[in-house]
Amino acid sequence: MYRQKYIFLLPGLLVLIAVILFPLIFTIRVSFSSWDVYNPGLNDAGGAMYARMWEDARYWQALWRLSLLSVATVLIQYLLGFALALLVWRDIAARRFFRVLFLVPMMTTPVVMSVIWRTIFHESLGPLNPILEGLGIGAQPWLSHPGFAFVAVIIVEVWQWTPFMFLLLLAGLLSLPSEPFLAAKIDGAGPIRTFLSVTFPMMGAISVGAILIRAIEASKIMETVYVLTSGGPGTSTETVSYYIYIRGMRDFQIGYSAALSLTYLIIMAVALTLIAKALMRLMVRGAGA
Amino acid sequence: MLRLSNLDLAEDGVPHLADISLDFRPGLTTLLGRTGAGKTTLLRAIAGLAHPFGQISFNGQDWAQLPPWHRPVAMVTQQFINYPHLNVLDNLAFPLIRRGEARAAALAAAETMLGRVGLAQMASRRPSELSGGQQQRVALARALVKGAPILLLDEPFVNLDYNLREGMREELMALLQSGGETTVIYASTDPREALRMGDQTVLMSEGRALQSGAPRAVFAAPAALAAARVVNDPPINILSARLDATSLDIDHLGPFPRDALPEDLPPGGYSLALRAEDIRQNGTVSARVALTEVSGSETVTHLQAGAQPLVMLERRVQSHPLGAEIRLALDLRRALIYGADGALIAKGAAHG
């Protein structure tokens, strides 16, 4: 009875298989081969690629670096985005102005934006160092020093994606009911206490959503690193996706990059699930008086 | 004592508060007025949420520079306002914790209050999981647990159904019995509520405080025509009358016996305010039925006698077809008599 309803599910199911399941299963199969420029094709290499990955310090360093980069950029984006959203929350004129202004970085293509920032950070030709010298801080080795290059990547990511966080959080703030704020005033909560006890907890669900969306995007960071630093100096700004790109697309080690990709996918899925649960517990269910 | 002196507040030329000067002492005072009379604005001004010109002081302390969160005030509004992200117990504990009480003590006090309002079983639920009546009970409990010396109640039960409203009102009265020296200000549009609840009542209209005093005294003798309109539900009948030495003539209704009004009333033009219960059937004034409202065990009939609208209140459920002609008897001996300036001059002969 009502079997025909499954016919309507079929197109969606076929797309799911073609777009997600087939590439995933194919990647699993490739990861158990040693397909490279010398041995093209799906041979059987067992777990050799995974064993190699286990001892590949560059991969794990890239993963650790990516984690740091993601946490730092998303945290700064969240704090800045929230602060800006709070600033314009009650001011309609400012809200319109900032909403338009902040769309500009989001609308810029990451590669174009990274080229512009690479020019800004250029140590002899860029405008940043003369400005810093004018301020008495002195020129900095933005793209030639590992630490500064890492900071440069963070700055560019924050510049581009803080507006996204701002817009999401502003939408969240505008959707909050006004009554609890009135109640908080009457119940003796000043502005700071109202923020901590009412605004912030009521923004819990939207905050978790915004942080997770940005964390997922940050975990895939590639274009900024590719254009701005090419993973350098050395490998100091190399992220996992960039490293997989080097192994797969530049060195053509297809089997090995498939093993790296699959492991990366599993680690990210587990990590993001744990982060989501922790954030939900901390920011949504844990909200108390 | 809470003292309001010369409060004025207008927005876009519309007066919300106009020269309000009132003293509120411990006990329950009702603010009675129609929608838009300024009751909510007045309560918001006391709470610090509206900022009128004039002075508000409590026990001699000027509140001009005191922000809402430092005022010793609790408030319940028409809307069911609670903290949606907190459970019921934390909702009640919130004002106590904000005041600096230890969390354990605040939770214990909140639990006790929750028991008093009959919601002990709901402590761990979020407000959104409660019915409207329960949500308002939480809001009321949160206001009461604070133990503030001033409790502002802005038509707290208006959004509840009739039975729940009656029940909640009784509960509130019982809870306030133990309120001690609390100054409770209860805004209402319902004169019966004001009569039943208040130690004092203040009549408000168009941002002005028209009259204040004991509810029964105010009801018996509204000092002005506007006050008579506010304090009566169903609406009081206003009749334009002309009196001379031998006769009484009422616009649109014709002549009436002169002796219905006090003998010593000098000839002139007057407004007679006649309550709906002082109009009955089986008289001489002809009127047609415009609308019939049955409320509980009473029937309110709106009639048209020529150009004069009339309202009649009858006991029990009555059936009057629309457009039907009814012969009315107006007991003018029970009328309130107002002069040209709208001030109460005298009462009809039956008031003695």
Side-chain angles (χ1 to χ4, degrees):
Chain A
M1 200 177 176
Y2 301 123
R3 272 183 198 163
Q4 60 270 36
K5 68 185 176 188
Y6 294 108
I7 294 170
F8 292 98
L9 290 176
L10 205 57
L13 197 64
L14 288 174
V15 170
L16 187 75
I17 290 168
V19 174
I20 297 175
L21 282 181
F22 174 73
L24 185 65
I25 292 165
F26 186 69
T27 305
I28 294 170
R29 173 64 189 92
V30 172
S31 74
F32 288 99
S33 75
S34 61
W35 187 346
D36 62 14
V37 73
Y38 303 110
N39 304 299
L42 287 171
N43 57 11
D44 185 8
M49 296 301 115
Y50 289 96
R52 182 182 159 192
M53 181 197 70
W54 186 250
E55 292 174 356
D56 187 350
R58 191 171 160 185
Y59 176 72
W60 297 111
Q61 280 168 5
L63 188 66
W64 170 243
R65 198 173 296 120
L66 175 73
S67 307
L68 281 180
L69 197 63
S70 300
V71 169
T73 55
V74 174
L75 187 68
I76 296 170
Q77 286 163 16
Y78 178 69
L79 294 176
L80 276 179
F82 210 146
L84 288 168
L86 283 171
L87 271 178
V88 301
W89 179 20
R90 306 288 191 196
D91 188 335
I92 292 170
R95 189 191 308 157
R96 285 183 187 144
F97 173 74
F98 278 104
R99 202 154 46 187
V100 172
L101 184 72
F102 278 21
L103 281 175
V104 176
M106 283 174 64
M107 283 167 18
T108 314
T109 311
V111 172
V112 173
M113 177 267 305
S114 298
V115 169
I116 293 168
W117 274 101
R118 191 176 63 188
T119 311
I120 292 170
F121 284 128
H122 196 284
E123 287 164 31
S124 53
L125 302 173
L128 183 59
N129 273 346
I131 293 170
L132 293 177
E133 280 174 344
L135 293 170
I137 297 168
Q140 304 298 330
W142 286 108
L143 300 175
S144 59
H145 182 278
F148 278 97
F150 193 73
V151 171
V153 173
I154 291 175
I155 289 172
V156 175
E157 278 290 298
V158 166
W159 180 83
Q160 187 167 30
W161 293 112
T162 297
F164 176 81
M165 200 66 103
F166 162 79
L167 287 179
L168 272 186
L169 294 171
L170 181 60
L173 284 171
L174 292 173
S175 70
L176 294 182
S178 60
E179 291 84 0
F181 295 96
L182 187 145
K185 274 186 186 173
I186 300 290
D187 285 341
I192 293 170
R193 178 48 64 186
T194 299
F195 173 76
L196 294 174
S197 296
V198 181
T199 315
F200 188 69
M202 281 182 18
M203 285 289 288
I206 190 112
S207 292
V208 170
I211 289 171
L212 282 179
I213 290 170
R214 278 308 309 143
I216 290 167
E217 288 299 314
S219 69
K220 297 186 293 191
I221 181 170
M222 165 79 194
E223 303 97 322
T224 310
V225 171
Y226 181 81
V227 177
L228 197 68
T229 64
S230 297
T235 58
S236 61
T237 56
E238 199 170 74
T239 59
V240 175
S241 43
Y242 187 65
Y243 179 59
I244 292 171
Y245 161 78
I246 289 172
R247 283 284 174 253
M249 296 294 115
R250 197 181 288 176
D251 302 345
F252 209 68
Q253 295 172 5
I254 303 297
Y256 185 50
S257 63
L260 296 180
S261 299
L262 207 63
T263 310
Y264 172 50
L265 177 71
I266 293 166
I267 290 171
M268 277 303 136
V270 171
L272 288 169
T273 306
L274 292 176
I275 289 169
K277 284 194 171 180
L279 286 175
M280 284 298 284
R281 192 176 302 128
L282 192 71
M283 298 179 79
V284 181
R285 286 193 289 273
Chain B
M1 182 175 66
L2 177 67
R3 170 161 287 173
L4 315 181
S5 307
N6 309 110
L7 296 190
D8 270 296
L9 180 69
E11 278 174 22
D12 302 325
V14 179
H16 295 295
L17 297 177
D19 197 25
I20 299 252
S21 292
L22 292 166
D23 289 342
F24 293 97
R25 292 186 168 74
L28 198 154
T29 302
T30 52
L31 289 182
L32 182 62
R34 293 176 181 176
T35 304
K39 307 182 297 295
T40 299
T41 309
L42 187 62
L43 295 185
R44 286 173 61 85
I46 294 169
L49 303 172
H51 307 285
F53 293 104
Q55 196 183 33
I56 300 175
S57 63
F58 180 61
N59 289 342
Q61 186 198 7
D62 184 9
W63 280 7
Q65 301 302 321
L66 204 62
W69 49 92
H70 286 155
R71 298 190 182 196
V73 165
M75 188 173 183
V76 182
T77 64
Q78 293 176 21
Q79 299 84 16
F80 313 142
I81 299 183
N82 292 300
Y83 301 105
H85 59 290
L86 301 179
N87 66 29
V88 167
L89 192 64
D90 283 337
N91 257 278
L92 264 66
F94 187 90
L96 302 179
I97 292 172
R98 294 290 72 80
R99 202 166 57 190
E101 287 191 23
R103 184 170 169 78
L107 287 174
E111 212 164 349
T112 306
M113 181 53 73
L114 215 50
R116 287 180 65 190
V117 296
L119 290 176
Q121 307 298 318
M122 307 290 177
S124 60
R125 293 198 191 178
R126 297 270 168 125
S128 58
E129 296 169 328
L130 304 180
S131 69
Q134 288 170 330
Q135 286 182 43
Q136 192 65 329
R137 219 178 287 183
V138 172
L140 184 63
R142 201 177 71 247
L144 291 172
V145 77
K146 196 176 168 186
I150 297 171
L151 176 61
L152 307 174
L153 303 168
D154 185 10
E155 299 185 61
F157 309 133
V158 75
N159 287 322
L160 303 178
D161 67 61
Y162 176 78
N163 287 329
L164 199 53
R165 190 162 63 234
E166 293 295 310
M168 290 277 290
R169 199 182 289 130
E170 297 306 318
E171 278 179 38
L172 173 66
M173 295 306 286
L175 288 165
L176 291 179
Q177 294 297 319
S178 54
E181 288 295 291
T182 309
T183 300
V184 184
I185 307 175
Y186 186 106
S188 176
T189 55
D190 184 354
R192 276 171 280 202
E193 198 168 46
L195 273 171
R196 212 182 310 168
M197 293 181 73
D199 304 321
Q200 292 283 308
T201 194
V202 177
L203 304 185
M204 289 193 69
S205 177
E206 296 176 347
R208 294 185 178 278
L210 301 172
Q211 187 178 356
S212 61
R216 286 186 186 283
V218 170
F219 180 78
L225 209 49
R229 285 196 177 98
V230 171
V231 82
N232 281 281
D233 183 39
I236 198 163
N237 297 286
I238 308 294
L239 311 171
S240 289
R242 178 145 293 281
L243 183 74
D244 61 29
T246 57
S247 68
L248 168 65
D249 194 66
I250 296 180
D251 286 358
H252 313 295
L253 302 181
F256 279 80
R258 168 66 182 82
D259 61 2
L261 302 187
E263 280 176 24
D264 55 351
L265 200 63
Y270 298 97
S271 292
L272 306 184
L274 190 64
R275 292 195 168 96
E277 59 265 32
D278 295 327
I279 296 182
R280 291 184 298 278
Q281 291 195 61
N282 305 322
T284 56
V285 176
S286 173
R288 289 197 179 275
V289 175
L291 175 71
T292 301
E293 299 172 85
V294 176
S295 170
S297 59
E298 294 176 333
T299 303
V300 178
T301 307
H302 296 256
L303 303 123
Q304 200 68 35
Q308 174 69 52
L310 294 170
V311 182
M312 173 175 69
L313 175 69
E314 296 169 286
R315 297 204 184 283
R316 291 193 282 276
V317 176
Q318 306 286 344
S319 174
H320 298 302
L322 278 182
E325 186 182 0
I326 296 180
R327 311 290 290 182
L328 301 174
L330 278 57
D331 190 357
L332 293 182
R333 295 174 312 121
R334 300 199 57 78
L336 300 163
I337 303 159
Y338 294 88
D341 60 352
L344 181 67
I345 292 175
K347 297 178 182 179
H351 290 281

